Amino acid sequence: MRKFVSNTASRKLGLLRHLAAASHSRFLSSTPVLDLLSSMPSANPPAAPPLSLDTINPKVLKCEYAVRGEIVTLAQRLQQELLAKPGSHPFDEILYCNIGNPQSLSQLPITFFREVLALCDHPAILDKSETQGLFSADAIERAWQILDQIPGRATGAYSHSQGIKGLRDTIAAGIEARDGFPADPNDIFLTDGASPAVHMMMQLLIRSEKDGILCPIPQYPLYSASIALHGGTLVPYYLDEATGWGLEVSELKKQLDAAKSNGITVRALVVINPGNPTGQVLAEENQRGIVEFCKKEGLVLLADEVYQENVYVPEKTFHSFKKISRSMGYGEKDISLVSFQSVSKGYHGECGKRGGYMEVTGFSPDVMEQIYKVASVNLCSNISGQILASLVMSPPKVGDESYESYCAEKDGILSSLARRAKALEDAFDNLEGVSCNKAEGAMYLFPRIHLPQKAIKAAEALKTAPDAFYCHRLLNATGIVVVPGSGFGQVPGTWHFRCTILPQEDKIPAIVSRLTDFHKGFMDEFRD
């Protein structure tokens, strides 16, 4: 085979031979040979990196997720600085009010749930005499029941792609008990939290940027992010802040018609009930109107119901959209409905266990096959999350050994959340230029801040949104982490922030005090 050498390479080789022949000493020249060679032009200049912001998928660049965005990154840096140098900031701890992550803020898990999980993960201890004294009898019994449903009795094994059949049976029975209407375990897909289920449905629904999804504004940024990642178009509908974040069907119709006139095919409607970030709980009559709208317009109804246990006002009750649609006489062939549930929220707050499910009804068998195919690509959701989802939908019952302690833990968490919501709501309403709707449910408050023009101009000078400017200043002065309303969407010209109600009750007075002092100083500094 003939060998070809580039001109540059030949020059390097010639120079090397010349230096070797002319030198009687390796120290003849003060310039090392390798240095001379390295200074010469390379035959193969360094290639551009395989990925840059110019070459990655533009859909990823378009995707944003505010609850773990820039302000949270800053908070984590401040926390490291406090650890390295205590006293380096005007506060002694970071108070995270940015994300619905209860156990990170010291909420304890439900004992019965964790007992069952522990026994399922280590079944060898089920036969030990000590176990009877350490675990409740109903937890032991439930663990045996669940293990009998798992192939090989191994939580480390893959399951059916939709989830373990026996656990889906349990969840279907729980849905039926909740709604009073039948549920089919074959309609249930167990997922790693509700978020992957939402992504699965966006994959199914979105074909191009010409496909739109009606989403509430404000919305949980999972929806805007997943729509962007899958290449669709978010079609916004605005919740009415003046009526407690009301959802008006007339607004849905208006935005649907506007999208159609722009050549967008609207495929589905997202409803978050109870609301995130807004905390409202929909009335039955309102839900009926939404179901009727979806049926008439041929839309898939995507019902985010992960906060169904988080209702804090006696005048409101959670009703699933499946229950509402069935009570209206609409069956499988009348409306396509996907309901999302998660173990991360409610009173259990098991975010890290990544458990959840979607109940998919009103789709043809061939479409259901395609959903199953997408689920199969991920093999299955994690088994601990599957077990927890079944426990959430089938907790201890009257007569079980754990029933009283379970009820005490559950009621204690929910009643404390209600008190925290009220305390923060009152605190926001007492701030100058701030108004806050009542927290009926979920885990958040979404107060509106009427910012002085001077503050808005200061934010514009820094090329940042005015509510983000406020939240940055709040964090740097107090250590309190909240998320700007611009990360969730809001009526143009209005400014908000989302604050969780999750910090432990004994931390709430400190949050209120720090926030009140900061806000007074901020308003005085920027007063018009």
Side-chain angles (χ1 to χ4, degrees), residues 347-358:
Y347 56 90
H348 19 86
E350 293 279 12
C351 302
K353 295 298 183 184
R354 309 309 302 134
Y357 68 81
M358 61 179 180

Side-chain angles (χ1 to χ4, degrees), residues 371-388:
I371 299 173
Y372 177 75
K373 179 174 71 178
V374 173
S376 298
V377 170
N378 294 320
L379 295 174
C380 69
S381 59
N382 81 86
I383 304 302
S384 292
Q386 292 190 32
I387 293 169
L388 266 172

Side-chain angles (χ1 to χ4, degrees), residues 10 31 57 88 90 104 146 238 260 265 294 310 317 365 423 436 459:
S10 297
T31 306
N57 185 341
S88 56
S104 73
I146 290 171
Y238 290 93
K260 285 180 178 177
T265 301
C294 287
N310 298 99
T317 304
C436 185

Side-chain angles (χ1 to χ4, degrees), residues 121-289:
D121 276 336
H122 193 31
I125 65 174
L126 276 165
D127 289 324
K128 294 190 179 295
S129 57
E130 301 96 312
T131 302
Q132 308 295 326
L134 293 171
F135 294 84
S136 60
D138 52 335
I140 294 171
E141 182 182 357
R142 185 72 69 91
W144 277 120
Q145 291 172 359
I146 290 171
L147 286 167
D148 284 343
Q149 296 164 351
I150 301 175
R153 291 184 170 177
T155 58
Y158 289 135
S159 77
H160 187 280
S161 294
Q162 273 185 255
I164 295 164
K165 174 61 165 58
L167 300 183
R168 287 186 283 124
D169 288 339
T170 299
I171 291 168
I175 293 170
E176 189 168 332
R178 181 196 67 193
D179 293 345
F181 293 94
D184 185 345
N186 293 319
D187 292 338
I188 293 166
F189 290 76
L190 288 163
T191 53
D192 288 328
S195 298
V198 170
H199 279 290
M200 285 172 66
M201 292 314 302
M202 295 305 173
Q203 283 180 300
L204 186 81
L205 290 162
I206 295 171
R207 300 162 295 184
S208 74
E209 72 279 356
K210 292 295 185 182
D211 283 331
I213 309 292
L214 271 164
C215 284
I217 298 294
Q219 52 100 31
Y220 175 48
L222 163 67
Y223 291 98
S224 54
S226 61
I227 292 167
L229 283 172
H230 296 293
T233 297
L234 187 149
V235 179
Y237 67 88
Y238 290 93
L239 302 176
D240 185 0
E241 188 168 11
T243 60
W245 301 111
L247 196 170
E248 301 296 333
V249 174
S250 58
E251 168 70 4
L252 297 177
K253 179 63 175 167
K254 171 186 166 186
Q255 299 300 343
L256 176 68
D257 290 344
K260 285 180 178 177
S261 69
N262 289 322
I264 301 296
T265 301
V266 179
R267 311 295 310 281
L269 166 67
V270 172
V271 181
I272 308 174
N273 180 47
N276 176 9
T278 46
Q280 86 282 11
V281 178
L282 295 179
E284 269 188 88
E285 185 179 351
N286 197 181
Q287 290 183 267
R288 289 192 194 96

Side-chain angles (χ1 to χ4, degrees), residues 258-503:
K260 285 180 178 177
S261 69
N262 289 322
I264 301 296
T265 301
V266 179
R267 311 295 310 281
L269 166 67
V270 172
V271 181
I272 308 174
N273 180 47
N276 176 9
T278 46
Q280 86 282 11
V281 178
L282 295 179
E284 269 188 88
E285 185 179 351
N286 197 181
Q287 290 183 267
R288 289 192 194 96
I290 293 164
V291 168
E292 201 65 64
F293 173 78
C294 287
K295 183 181 185 309
K296 179 181 177 183
E297 301 295 343
L299 301 178
V300 176
L301 176 51
L302 302 176
D304 182 332
E305 298 175 338
V306 303
Y307 295 100
Q308 59 190 257
E309 289 115 347
N310 298 99
V311 178
Y312 308 123
V313 291
E315 66 270 20
K316 290 291 184 76
T317 304
F318 168 79
H319 298 285
S320 75
F321 270 99
K322 184 184 173 196
K323 175 183 176 181
I324 294 295
S325 62
R326 296 295 182 265
S327 68
M328 293 170 69
Y330 295 140
E332 287 269 348
K333 295 181 179 179
D334 300 308
I335 184 167
S336 297
L337 169 65
V338 184
S339 307
F340 303 105
Q341 170 63 314
S342 170
V343 306
S344 301
K345 310 306 176 185
Y347 56 90
H348 19 86
E350 293 279 12
C351 302
K353 295 298 183 184
R354 309 309 302 134
Y357 68 81
M358 61 179 180
E359 184 185 17
V360 183
T361 59
F363 291 78
S364 64
D366 53 348
V367 171
M368 292 294 282
E369 284 182 18
Q370 298 305 307
I371 299 173
Y372 177 75
K373 179 174 71 178
V374 173
S376 298
V377 170
N378 294 320
L379 295 174
C380 69
S381 59
N382 81 86
I383 304 302
S384 292
Q386 292 190 32
I387 293 169
L388 266 172
S390 75
L391 295 174
V392 165
M393 296 306 290
S394 181
K397 296 174 175 57
V398 176
D400 292 342
E401 182 182 331
S402 297
Y403 178 73
E404 289 187 9
S405 60
Y406 159 77
C407 288
E409 290 174 0
K410 173 185 175 181
D411 295 345
I413 291 168
L414 291 174
S415 59
S416 176
L417 286 172
R419 290 192 297 271
R420 286 178 254 175
K422 185 68 169 67
L424 287 169
E425 176 192 318
D426 290 344
F428 292 139
D429 274 333
N430 286 327
L431 298 179
E432 178 189 356
V434 176
S435 57
C436 185
N437 278 321
K438 192 173 189 177
E440 297 176 339
M443 295 178 172
Y444 316 99
L445 291 159
F446 199 63
R448 178 177 177 180
I449 30 175
H450 299 265
L451 293 169
Q453 279 302 310
K454 195 173 173 183
I456 293 172
K457 288 178 181 175
E460 289 170 350
L462 294 172
K463 296 183 179 178
T464 189
D467 49 8
F469 175 74
Y470 179 92
C471 294
H472 270 281
R473 293 282 295 253
L474 175 67
L475 171 59
N476 282 317
T478 68
I480 297 171
V481 190
V482 295
V483 187
S486 43
F488 301 89
Q490 53 201 340
V491 172
T494 67
W495 310 108
H496 302 77
F497 61 85
R498 189 186 80 164
C499 178
T500 73
I501 61 172
L502 293 175

